Amino acid sequence: MTATTITALNWNLEKGINWEQGAAWIREQDPDILFQQEVQPGQLADQADRLGMDGYIAVGRPGSTNDNAIFLKRGGPLAFVEEYPQDWAPWHAPANIAVKFRDVDGALSPRQVSCVSGHACYWNPEYRLIEAKWCSTLAKPGWLAVHFWDWNSYRIGEGGPWEGYDDQTFVANRTYDEGGLRRTDDRPDREMLATGYIEMARHAAQHLDQPDAMCGSAGYREHPGRPPGPRYCVDRGYLSGELAPALTGFTVCDTPHLRRLSDHLPLRAEFDAAVLRSVLHRPAAMYQPHDNRTSTGSAIAAGDPA
């Protein structure tokens, strides 16, 4: 049976503490792809088996047990192509795989999508900016990418004000110094948008009549030194502009049960499978190595990014 909707979930399941209950909820959602942060050692294989998915975990960082991972539904409409170890990362390495669209007959699309699960550095705004700048490497003309990250930073115009915080460490972590003034760190969002990515929640709110897509995903837990009640949208998903027409829905999943399981709420994105398939079968003009250039030296249509 041909899939009509492709579902992606993202969840920072806090330090993997409630991973079994989290996996039960995820299984009920039946996602085709899952982006997850704070996966702990030994959890990947067990969770993959419970979900009926294949798991791909990022390069581990010595001294840390919070890793990023991506899970793909076995035999689903998205087929694994390749895994890329991103050991350049200054903090937690992002998980990065490429997928292609799988037709009912098993044929794969000529183009692929780079999928990234990331957890930006909570304690260094300069690292966060580096991590966002790295995302531009997957935004070249003709390339396609989907990013889900816990950005530990804010959308343009969100975050703060900071006057009511006694937790000065948190304020320092979520702001950056500019000319002696502390400014709310929205630079990763600015960088992603400048590169040409589209934030899914914004797109859903502005073009799909889904204003709740912009709801916060964290900040509902009480923390000493922080004002009660504020919620932050630090978990965000971005995609290449060419993929935006395939997005049909975006939801911040919010229930008392989910709030008990983690300090972050899951994000759910739905895509029209037929539109996504069409994009992944569409020829794309992109730069090719010298030996593959046309006689005029111009870029040529190609199926896959290098």
Side-chain angles (χ1 to χ4, degrees), residues 27 31 46-54 72-76:
R27 188 171 60 246
D46 289 342
Q47 182 167 322
D49 287 342
R50 288 185 182 225
L51 297 176
M53 306 178 84
D54 293 320
L72 273 183
K73 180 187 290 185
R74 294 169 186 162

Side-chain angles (χ1 to χ4, degrees), residues 157-243:
E158 297 182 353
W162 303 106
E163 289 77 12
Y165 285 75
D166 294 326
D167 185 350
Q168 293 301 305
T169 300
F170 181 78
V171 175
N173 289 341
R174 294 297 181 90
T175 61
Y176 65 96
D177 181 83
E178 185 177 76
L181 298 175
R182 302 301 302 186
R183 300 192 182 277
T184 297
D185 189 18
D186 60 8
R187 294 183 300 175
D189 184 44
R190 293 181 183 274
E191 192 69 25
M192 295 297 283
L193 299 179
T195 304
Y197 287 116
I198 290 175
E199 194 213 338
M200 293 180 228
R202 275 192 185 99
H203 182 82
Q206 295 171 1
H207 301 287
L208 303 177
D209 193 25
Q210 299 174 9
D212 288 347
M214 297 281 283
C215 287
S217 60
Y220 45 85
R221 295 274 182 87
E222 292 186 6
H223 291 270
R226 304 181 199 175
R231 298 178 59 201
Y232 323 104
C233 190
V234 298
D235 305 278
R236 298 188 298 277
Y238 297 82
L239 45 65
S240 303
E242 200 174 351
L243 295 172

Side-chain angles (χ1 to χ4, degrees), residues 8-249:
L9 288 182
N10 177 78
W11 201 2
N12 180 340
L13 192 51
E14 186 180 13
K15 301 189 184 304
I17 295 171
N18 296 310
W19 78 268
E20 292 171 314
Q21 294 169 282
W25 181 85
I26 293 167
R27 188 171 60 246
E28 292 174 355
Q29 308 307 305
D30 192 29
D32 297 295
I33 184 168
L34 166 66
F35 301 73
Q36 189 170 327
Q37 297 83 43
E38 299 198 11
V39 177
Q40 303 300 302
Q43 290 182 354
L44 186 82
D46 289 342
Q47 182 167 322
D49 287 342
R50 288 185 182 225
L51 297 176
M53 306 178 84
D54 293 320
Y56 306 91
I57 200 159
V59 175
R61 182 177 66 85
S64 175
T65 58
N66 292 324
D67 289 320
N68 301 302
I70 299 176
F71 297 82
L72 273 183
K73 180 187 290 185
R74 294 169 186 162
L78 300 178
F80 171 82
V81 176
E82 193 169 357
E83 185 174 14
Y84 306 98
Q86 302 295 349
D87 55 5
W88 58 270
W91 197 51
H92 294 304
N96 179 199
I97 66 172
V99 301
K100 291 188 175 185
F101 189 93
R102 187 192 343 252
D103 282 329
V104 177
D105 63 2
L108 301 183
S109 60
R111 297 176 71 185
Q112 64 188 36
V113 181
S114 279
C115 300
V116 181
S117 173
H119 192 179
C121 183
Y122 79 88
W123 52 270
N124 190 326
E126 303 309 317
Y127 281 3
R128 290 196 292 270
L129 186 57
I130 290 172
E131 290 161 336
K133 286 179 177 294
W134 168 79
C135 295
S136 71
T137 66
L138 303 178
K140 299 180 178 73
W143 290 43
L144 300 171
V146 171
H147 296 265
F148 276 104
W149 290 61
D150 171 356
W151 287 100
N152 279 312
S153 58
Y154 306 92
R155 290 190 187 106
I156 298 168
E158 297 182 353
W162 303 106
E163 289 77 12
Y165 285 75
D166 294 326
D167 185 350
Q168 293 301 305
T169 300
F170 181 78
V171 175
N173 289 341
R174 294 297 181 90
T175 61
Y176 65 96
D177 181 83
E178 185 177 76
L181 298 175
R182 302 301 302 186
R183 300 192 182 277
T184 297
D185 189 18
D186 60 8
R187 294 183 300 175
D189 184 44
R190 293 181 183 274
E191 192 69 25
M192 295 297 283
L193 299 179
T195 304
Y197 287 116
I198 290 175
E199 194 213 338
M200 293 180 228
R202 275 192 185 99
H203 182 82
Q206 295 171 1
H207 301 287
L208 303 177
D209 193 25
Q210 299 174 9
D212 288 347
M214 297 281 283
C215 287
S217 60
Y220 45 85
R221 295 274 182 87
E222 292 186 6
H223 291 270
R226 304 181 199 175
R231 298 178 59 201
Y232 323 104
C233 190
V234 298
D235 305 278
R236 298 188 298 277
Y238 297 82
L239 45 65
S240 303
E242 200 174 351
L243 295 172
L247 184 69
T248 59

